[in-house]
Each structure stands twice: as C-alpha cells, then as structure tokens.
Amino acid sequence: MNVLVARIGKPHSLHGEVTVQAHTDDPMGRFVPGATFVTDAAAGSGVPKSLTIRNARQHKGIWLLAFDGIPDRTGAEGLRGTQLLLDEEDETGNDEDGWYEEELVGLRVVDPAGEPLGTVAGLDVGVAQDRLVVTLTDGTEVLVPLVEAIVPSLDPTAGVVVVDAPPGLFDIAREG
C-alpha cells in the first residue's frame, strides 16, 4: 500500500523548485537529496511515475523541493497537484505514535463513555501539531487536536478513536 508523503503545490523559482504540503511527521528525514517517491498525478499530465529529490530546503516555514529531470519553472508547473507516495513496506523505523491519514479515515469517534461522536474524515497536518478532521453525528466538521490529553486512545485495528473533548470544542465548530 502506498502512503501519502506530500502534495506538490505551485512552482517557487525559475530553477524547478516547487512548494509541497508535507503529510509526514518527519520531513527532515524524508525530503533529502536522492530520496525517490512514486507519483500519483492526473492521467495524461506527463508527470514521471517517480521523482527523485535533487534539492530540499525550507523557506519561511514552507518546504521547497527540486527534482532530477525538472530543470525549470515550466517543468515544475506541470507537477502541480501531484502526490508523492512511498510504499508502506519501504518505510524505515517504527514510529508507534505516528498515523497515516489512510489508517484514520472512517474510524468511529466515541467519547470516553463509548457514546458515538462521529467519524474521522481526515488528518490535518500542522506545523505544531496534527488535528483529526471529525464529522460529528449532526454533520458538523470539527478539528480535534491530536494530543494525548484530548485523544487518549486511537486504535485503527479496532476502528475506534476515543476523544475526551474539552468543554466548548465542538460548540466552536457549530457556531462557525
């Protein structure tokens, strides 16, 4: 199974750099020269089946990547929207506290007493912390900080996430 590591955004320079939205908890370890990713792009886009990083750097908190074979802004523009993927079997290390969005979407969300709250709709990867995107039983979408104090239990095998929401967390989303 392939897992999403990043999504390519807009070109950044005349030398083929692109912005990326990281979907990994270890961008420093993933975005290194020589790292190769499988791509998922629109059919007929001309995007190669894999891309190898030529250069990686951060600029104002945004990751900028350049790839072998993409020498200029025109080539970089053609990569927009492409997903960079890794085969889960190729993953190194065993981060027991890390989750892939694919593992979380669809999990049942319950309160500490086991009462249904909703389902996980996605994972919002943040700079300081990640947040679960939860669709509540009334259809409201709320962002739940993925911290142990609020999410004391997350078990993809059992298909359940326990959320001990502080007072007002869900009300803020309903008011907005």
Side-chain angles (χ1 to χ4, degrees):
M1 175 176 110
N2 288 332
V3 293
L4 179 64
V5 175
R7 183 171 287 113
I8 296 176
K10 63 184 180 180
H12 178 74
S13 72
L14 299 176
H15 305 290
E17 282 184 318
V18 294
T19 61
V20 296
Q21 177 185 20
H23 289 270
T24 176
D25 59 352
D26 185 20
M28 297 285 287
R30 298 270 184 245
F31 303 149
V32 295
T36 300
F37 299 94
V38 175
T39 62
D40 183 12
S45 65
V47 173
K49 295 207 180 292
S50 68
L51 290 169
T52 300
I53 295 178
R54 179 179 77 235
N55 188 39
R57 65 187 179 101
Q58 279 189 289
H59 176 69
K60 296 183 180 179
I62 297 171
W63 277 98
L64 302 175
L65 303 181
F67 299 98
D68 291 344
I70 310 294
D72 56 26
R73 187 176 186 91
T74 302
E77 180 64 45
L79 299 177
R80 190 186 293 244
T82 298
Q83 293 183 350
L84 300 177
L85 310 169
L86 277 180
D87 187 326
E88 188 174 39
E89 293 177 10
D90 291 342
E91 292 288 87
T92 57
N94 185 13
D95 183 3
E96 294 180 11
D97 293 330
W99 308 103
Y100 295 111
E101 184 172 27
E102 294 82 4
E103 295 176 287
L104 303 175
V105 172
L107 296 181
R108 292 180 300 115
V109 178
V110 299
D111 69 13
E115 293 297 314
L117 295 173
T119 59
V120 176
L123 180 65
D124 181 49
V125 179
V127 175
Q129 70 186 32
D130 297 341
R131 295 168 296 236
L132 291 174
V133 180
V134 175
T135 303
L136 300 175
T137 54
D138 67 4
T140 303
E141 192 171 272
V142 63
L143 295 176
V144 176
L146 193 50
V147 295
E148 190 171 352
I150 299 172
V151 183
S153 175
L154 195 154
D155 188 349
T157 305
V160 178
V161 177
V162 175
V163 172
D164 190 5
L169 179 67
F170 299 153
D171 297 333
I172 293 169
R174 288 184 177 115
E175 292 171 3

